[in-house]
Amino acid sequence: MVAAKSNLEQQHIDAELAFLRALPQVQSVAALERGEALLAAHEARLSTEDLLLVLRACASGCQSAGRWLDGLQFAQRALEVCRRSGERGRALDRIPFLAINGNIHSFLHNYHLAVRSLREAIMIAEREESQVDIAKLSLGLGAVYSRLGEHDLALTLFERSEKLAREYKLTSTHSGALNNIARQLRLNGKIGEARQTVDSAIELLAGQSQPEWLPYLLHSRSEISIAEGNADAALTDLRAAATLLRQFQNTPVLLQVLADSADLLAQRGDVEAARELLLEASELSQSASLHDLRARVALARARLARQQSDTTAALAAVDEFLVAQTDANAVELEGQRIATRFVEEVERTEARGRREAEAVSALTLRLLDTQAQAEKAAKLAARDPLTGVLNRSAFENAVMRVAAGPQQPVTLIMLDVDNFKATNDQFGHIAGDAVLSGLVDRMRQSLRANDLLGRFGGDEFLLLCPGVGPRIALAIANRMLARIAQEPVRYENHEISVTVSLGAACAQTKSLPALSYLIKRTDAALRRAKLAGKNRAVVVRVNV
């Protein structure tokens, strides 16, 4: 009897896992419900691979249900499983959970944590040469930058995603990238281009059995129609989007669509239809995590009630708004708690790694019999001993690894400290070393996770920025100039003002094998910046 019962349970587990594997990789409330049931009853019988499958279904499903905090818990639990398993193949397994982690932190307005998670996922994807993951992750990271108002950077990431998705025939990601490009174009006032782009994306999804991006595209097209003054077309698209979202059970996006529809109907005087949509939205937004949308719906209900002189309904809506504000505080606090615990665990792991590396270094030094051997080992080290950045040899090796990767725009920047000799003469060479160390600290604050920074010699540094064209290169250079000149470097009792000049050469990765030529072009641009008065940047294009 016991064996028969065990066999039946295993058959049930296998059937549920097969159901989850067969689902397209979209947010699904059904997958969340099945996944939670499996964890509650049979977690001990799941292999590591199956446990990660179930956790992914739950974490992704929580996004569809608007259960942000639960989604964070599932994603971070999965990341811990990956860390403890320690298998080489688990690197790629981390990517979807880092992506979910980043997306949820973005919804919770923890943008620094969102960028950190998505950047880490992109680094893994680039190391594993997974262009499919890079396409999807660029889409998510671009959305975060768009919410932060970094529209140029967001557009660059969306265009990168669109290019890769088109190349690898990723229809869903391709349509998602086009959707976000269209939204950026609309925000930039380019309404005609936005409409062409969103129409192309909708056409791309024609005939798809699971058009997961279609409601998003219809929502975007409705916003474009509103900008064009065509409320009827906007309402048609919003109704179609709402129907699909009810089918997909995607609560957060459905709430936005219902609220937008109610706004349009109220403007046209159809108060009763607007009220019905807002009541539906109120019933759907009871989760504490959906406080932002619930607050918006409550305010819309209050306005409608005031127009109708319905004091009781208006007060009830205001009460709901106040409850949403209370939930917002609680969710924000809990989100910070979860994030803090996660960051602390990451820091503990990194600290263990540093201790292990220090132990290895100490052992290595003990094995060096003579000072000559120690000096030889120092020369072979990849890091500049003063600033900790890559030395010239290690920088060149790293550049060649980028050259061997996928074709993309790159920018090489040369940086030189203005009047550095005068600093050494006035304050001494130790003060000059302090200036260089402080300079590197400030430069790192302006860099992305995949940028390469190396010391070229003396007070000159080289910086390679993959995926960066002239427009972004100039923005990075100006941000670096401002950060470096923002305040003096403090050494003993002195405050030493520091500015730098930058020369940048924008090219393609196919040009990187001719690194010496690129360096000459950046050096020439740097000299132009010096001659133009210093504390400035000159950017040039290079075709090799």
Side-chain angles (χ1 to χ4, degrees):
M1 287 292 293
V2 174
K5 181 180 178 182
S6 178
N7 287 337
L8 286 174
E9 288 181 351
Q10 190 59 50
Q11 290 175 14
H12 169 72
I13 293 169
D14 291 343
E16 292 298 280
L17 292 173
F19 169 81
L20 294 178
R21 289 192 185 95
L23 284 176
Q25 292 183 2
V26 297
Q27 300 168 7
S28 167
V29 173
L32 169 62
E33 293 170 351
R34 306 279 278 266
E36 285 188 308
L38 268 176
L39 290 175
H42 306 292
E43 180 176 349
R45 301 182 65 167
L46 298 177
S47 66
T48 299
E49 181 180 350
D50 291 339
L51 177 59
L52 289 174
L53 170 69
V54 176
L55 289 172
R56 181 172 181 175
C58 292
S60 181
C62 281
Q63 294 181 89
S64 183
R67 288 168 49 185
W68 309 131
L69 298 180
D70 290 339
L72 275 183
Q73 298 277 22
F74 282 123
Q76 293 179 3
R77 183 177 167 192
L79 289 170
E80 178 63 15
V81 170
C82 292
R83 186 185 70 80
R84 288 184 176 176
S85 68
E87 298 174 27
R88 178 73 174 80
R90 293 288 173 245
L92 286 172
D93 287 336
R94 288 170 53 83
I95 288 177
F97 299 106
L98 286 167
I100 293 168
N101 197 54
N103 292 338
I104 293 177
H105 275 307
S106 180
F107 281 113
L108 293 174
H109 311 300
N110 298 329
Y111 295 117
H112 62 298
L113 293 174
V115 170
R116 175 176 176 170
S117 287
L118 289 163
R119 282 285 181 199
E120 184 179 348
I122 288 174
M123 286 178 64
I124 294 172
E126 289 176 340
R127 187 172 65 242
E128 300 294 328
E129 298 182 354
S130 176
Q131 302 303 313
V132 171
D133 284 315
I134 292 172
K136 296 176 181 178
L137 293 164
S138 297
L139 190 58
L141 184 58
V144 178
Y145 281 122
S146 180
R147 293 187 185 106
L148 287 170
E150 297 280 356
H151 297 304
D152 287 343
L153 185 53
L155 187 57
T156 298
L157 286 162
F158 293 148
E159 289 171 346
R160 180 189 190 189
S161 175
E162 190 274 336
K163 179 182 178 182
L164 287 171
R166 179 163 27 90
E167 180 180 351
Y168 288 90
K169 296 181 173 54
L170 309 172
T171 302
S172 179
T173 303
H174 192 185
S175 60
L178 290 173
N179 177 65
N180 281 283
I181 290 171
R183 293 178 70 88
Q184 286 301 136
L185 291 170
R186 180 183 64 80
L187 290 172
N188 293 338
K190 299 178 180 179
I191 306 302
E193 292 181 47
R195 174 163 288 280
Q196 290 177 1
T197 303
V198 79
D199 285 344
S200 297
I202 290 174
E203 183 179 348
L204 188 66
L205 289 180
Q208 292 288 310
S209 59
Q210 289 284 344
E212 58 181 287
W213 273 97
L214 184 56
Y216 296 88
L217 291 163
L218 293 171
H219 190 199
S220 296
R221 192 167 69 177
S222 74
E223 294 172 329
I224 295 168
S225 295
I226 291 170
E228 294 170 334
N230 191 343
D232 289 338
L235 278 171
T236 298
D237 279 340
L238 287 169
R239 290 190 184 103
T243 299
L244 287 169
L245 291 165
R246 290 186 186 102
Q247 174 187 336
F248 295 158
Q249 294 181 281
N250 191 321
T251 302
V253 184
L254 175 58
L255 287 171
Q256 295 177 43
V257 168
L258 292 175
D260 288 348
S261 301
D263 286 345
L264 278 179
L265 290 168
Q267 291 170 19
R268 299 177 64 176
D270 195 346
V271 176
E272 189 56 37
R275 181 186 291 113
E276 289 180 6
L277 291 178
L278 291 174
L279 287 173
E280 179 186 356
S282 293
E283 293 174 1
L284 289 170
S285 61
Q286 293 307 305
S287 169
S289 293
L290 296 171
H291 53 80
D292 281 352
L293 293 165
R294 182 147 40 98
R296 178 186 172 186
V297 169
L299 285 176
R301 287 177 55 200
R303 284 194 294 269
L304 280 181
R306 187 180 62 182
Q307 291 174 14
Q308 299 299 304
S309 300
D310 189 343
T311 305
T312 301
L315 289 174
V318 170
D319 286 341
E320 191 167 333
F321 173 80
L322 294 175
V323 171
Q325 293 298 101
T326 301
D327 285 345
N329 293 332
V331 168
E332 180 181 1
L333 183 60
E334 183 59 23
Q336 294 293 343
R337 282 200 197 98
I338 294 171
T340 299
R341 288 196 297 269
F342 179 65
V343 170
E344 286 175 346
E345 179 57 35
V346 170
E347 289 177 348
R348 282 194 292 270
T349 302
E350 290 175 347
R352 283 195 295 270
R354 285 194 297 271
R355 288 195 297 271
E356 291 169 0
E358 288 168 0
V360 171
S361 296
L363 177 60
T364 302
L365 288 174
R366 285 196 299 271
L367 292 174
L368 294 173
D369 296 326
T370 67
Q371 182 63 32
Q373 288 176 306
E375 290 175 355
K376 183 180 178 181
K379 290 178 181 177
L380 293 174
R383 297 284 169 179
D384 172 58
L386 174 62
T387 62
V389 302
L390 296 173
N391 61 28
R392 184 167 176 174
S393 174
F395 180 83
E396 291 174 352
N397 289 336
V399 169
M400 290 305 104
R401 286 197 295 273
V402 175
Q407 287 299 309
Q408 59 180 316
V410 290
T411 293
L412 182 67
I413 299 174
M414 181 178 284
L415 176 150
D416 181 85
V417 182
D418 295 330
N419 307 313
F420 187 63
K421 183 178 183 302
T423 298
N424 280 333
D425 291 343
Q426 182 177 355
F427 300 104
H429 288 277
I430 297 178
D433 288 348
V435 166
L436 294 180
S437 296
L439 172 68
V440 167
D441 289 340
R442 295 177 191 184
M443 290 170 64
R444 281 178 168 144
Q445 295 171 18
S446 302
L447 302 184
R448 306 167 306 159
N450 58 337
D451 292 336
L452 299 175
L453 176 61
R455 188 175 181 186
F456 190 59
D459 60 324
E460 290 182 334
F461 294 85
L462 283 176
L463 169 65
L464 185 77
C465 302
V468 169
R471 181 177 54 184
I472 302 301
L474 185 59
I476 291 173
N478 286 332
R479 185 165 65 240
M480 198 175 298
L481 288 172
R483 191 176 294 277
I484 290 169
Q486 187 173 11
E487 58 180 313
V489 171
R490 290 172 177 80
Y491 171 71
E492 293 184 346
N493 296 323
H494 305 293
E495 291 190 348
I496 305 172
S497 297
V498 181
T499 63
V500 300
S501 298
L502 301 176
C506 302
Q508 296 289 322
T509 46
K510 64 183 180 181
S511 305
L512 291 179
L515 182 60
S516 59
Y517 176 71
L518 285 181
I519 292 174
K520 287 181 182 178
R521 294 299 304 273
T522 58
D523 188 38
L526 174 60
R527 288 197 301 273
R528 286 171 55 190
K530 292 281 190 183
L531 291 172
K534 303 179 181 178
N535 191 25
R536 65 195 64 217
V538 171
V539 179
V540 298
R541 292 176 182 266
V542 175
N543 294 315
V544 178

